[in-house]
Amino acid sequence: MQRRAFLALALPAALAACGADNIWASDDAIRKARYVSPEPPSIGLLTVIGIPRGEGGHSALIINGSQRVIYDPAGSWNHPAIPERHDVLYGITPNFKNFYIDYHARETYWVAEDTIQVPLAVADAAIRSAEQQGATNKSFCAVSTGKVLRRVPGFEGAPTGFSPLNLRRWFLTLPGVVSKKHMDGDPANNHNVLLRQKNGVIEGYGADGRLHAQN
């Protein structure tokens, strides 16, 4: 993947430390951004893992229920088209999902995406649990992610410690997990999306190798 330049809108990413926020988007912004995916309902754990030592840098959830959201506790990614309320990001279209993953995958980190298909009611329970959690303090991403999962039927055994790796190890013991590995520079996982954020415009490299505005 070609080197990304994050201008103006992306906060500096100190992944190992996570970030912190107390953002509260309006009801109208959340309603307008709502995205309903045609994919089956699911709960996915995103784990940012260091290269080459393999340390855990960040935990987040991507939840596909009646709408698709990302729960990004103490995360550092944002965009003006994506309303956020206490670490829950709304309007996660396929492009913005890839945008989020590509932001975290870089020379020093890769992203594990571990997904379980669940009934719609369970996915919606996970969204409600994420919305109830509130803003997360710096470095508590795995703690809060575990707490969100523990309130969801079938995920009550989630650990609530500080280690993203321990949380992922537990998640991988659940039946039906499908895993993907996203690495910077891997053509099989290069989404050809996010490369620049500027004034709210998303640009990405197309098949011709040139930057194009993304809708």
Side-chain angles (χ1 to χ4, degrees), residues 39-153:
E39 298 174 4
S42 63
I43 296 174
L45 176 66
L46 300 173
T47 309
V48 181
I49 300 174
I51 300 171
R53 293 183 298 170
E55 72 277 12
H58 188 55
S59 294
L61 296 172
I62 182 163
I63 308 168
N64 188 35
S66 296
Q67 62 177 316
R68 184 157 66 189
V69 306
I70 288 177
Y71 174 62
D72 190 31
S76 59
W77 182 82
N78 63 33
H79 190 276
I82 299 297
E84 177 180 351
R85 181 179 285 184
H86 279 177
D87 296 332
V88 180
L89 308 173
Y90 297 86
I92 305 301
T93 65
N95 191 62
F96 276 118
K97 174 188 173 182
N98 293 338
F99 200 151
Y100 178 90
I101 291 172
D102 285 348
Y103 170 75
H104 291 86
R106 57 194 65 197
E107 291 182 0
T108 52
Y109 289 93
W110 65 277
V111 179
E113 180 185 3
D114 303 302
T115 305
I116 300 177
Q117 290 189 17
V118 296
L120 179 60
V122 173
D124 285 343
I127 293 174
R128 291 193 299 271
S129 181
E131 291 172 332
Q132 294 167 10
Q133 183 61 31
T136 295
N137 291 327
K138 181 178 179 180
S139 299
F140 279 71
C141 55
V143 174
S144 292
T145 301
K147 288 181 178 179
V148 166
L149 288 171
R150 287 176 72 93
R151 293 192 291 263
V152 179

Side-chain angles (χ1 to χ4, degrees), residues 3-59:
R3 183 67 178 171
R4 293 174 294 274
F6 298 101
L7 303 178
L9 297 173
L11 298 177
L15 293 177
C18 303
D21 67 67
N22 192 28
I23 299 170
W24 187 265
S26 69
D27 290 344
D28 185 58
I30 290 173
R31 178 183 58 80
K32 289 179 178 178
R34 180 186 180 94
Y35 172 73
V36 180
S37 170
E39 298 174 4
S42 63
I43 296 174
L45 176 66
L46 300 173
T47 309
V48 181
I49 300 174
I51 300 171
R53 293 183 298 170
E55 72 277 12
H58 188 55
S59 294

Side-chain angles (χ1 to χ4, degrees), residues 198-211:
K198 187 175 183 180
N199 298 328
V201 175
I202 309 168
E203 292 183 335
Y205 284 98
D208 60 2
R210 297 181 179 180
L211 279 171

